[in-house]
Each structure stands twice: as C-alpha cells, then as structure tokens.
C-alpha cells in the first residue's frame, strides 16, 4: 500500500464520491444531479483502475481493465449533460 499511485487512486476515488454527494446535497438542480452522476462514474472508473493496479494475476488484471473500459463508457454522457444544464436557467 506504500505505492504512491495506489494512494492517489484511493484519494481520487474518495474525493470524487464526496464531491458529487456534497454538490448534489447542497443544490438539487438538474446540473448538480448530472454532475453527481458524472463524479460517481469517475469514482467507479478510478476503483477499476485501482483493482487493475492491485491485481497479481494477468487474468484478473485483464478483467479489471475490461471493467475499466466499460465504466469509462458511462463518463461522457453525464459530463455532456452537466455542461448543457450549467448554468441554469437556460433560455
């Protein structure tokens, strides 16, 4: 656990989840909801990268990378909707 990349990945995942929750809890708008979903998918992707870094078997590493690619697919749409709905109101 002393690998600096592992520490950064853990902190990044935690910060993504916390940031999305705090933003959505304090301001329940459409943009903040999409932003919370965006940060949740970023956190999930970060966890898959963490699993890849911690895996010891090549088959397990391949499985984690497959999950990473699948989870990365879901990052783009919430980001686009966040940009579309921010700032509200829209004319």
């Amino acid at each position: 656990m002393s690998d600096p990349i592992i520490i950064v990945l853990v902190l990044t995942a935690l910060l993504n989840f916390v940031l999305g929750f705090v933003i959505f809890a304090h301001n329940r708008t459409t943009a903040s909801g999409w932003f919370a979903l965006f940060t949740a998918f970023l956190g999930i992707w970060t966890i898959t990268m963490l699993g890849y870094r911690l895996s010891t078997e090549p088959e397990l590493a391949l499985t984690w990378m497959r999950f990473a690619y699948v989870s990365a697919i879901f990052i783009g749409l919430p980001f686009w909707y966040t940009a579309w709905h921010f700032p509200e109101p829209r004319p």
Side-chain angles (χ1 to χ4, degrees):
M1 186 71 178
S2 63
D3 185 14
I5 294 176
I6 301 296
I7 295 168
V8 169
L9 285 173
V10 168
L11 289 176
T12 302
L14 288 174
L15 288 175
N16 275 320
F17 288 125
V18 169
L19 179 65
F21 176 75
V22 168
I23 295 293
F24 186 67
H26 287 288
N27 189 11
R28 291 183 183 249
T29 62
T30 305
S32 65
W34 283 110
F35 182 75
L37 194 59
F38 169 65
T39 57
F41 285 136
L42 279 177
I44 292 169
W45 177 77
T46 306
I47 289 171
T48 62
M49 295 304 293
L50 182 66
Y52 167 73
R53 296 282 300 185
L54 291 175
S55 60
T56 57
E57 299 290 324
E59 294 83 18
L60 187 59
L62 182 62
T63 302
W64 277 112
M65 283 312 296
R66 287 180 179 155
F67 284 131
Y69 279 109
V70 169
S71 64
I73 291 171
F74 297 104
I75 293 173
L77 190 64
F79 177 75
W80 187 80
Y81 276 116
T82 299
W84 180 257
H85 289 285
F86 183 81
E88 290 182 317
R90 198 153 180 82

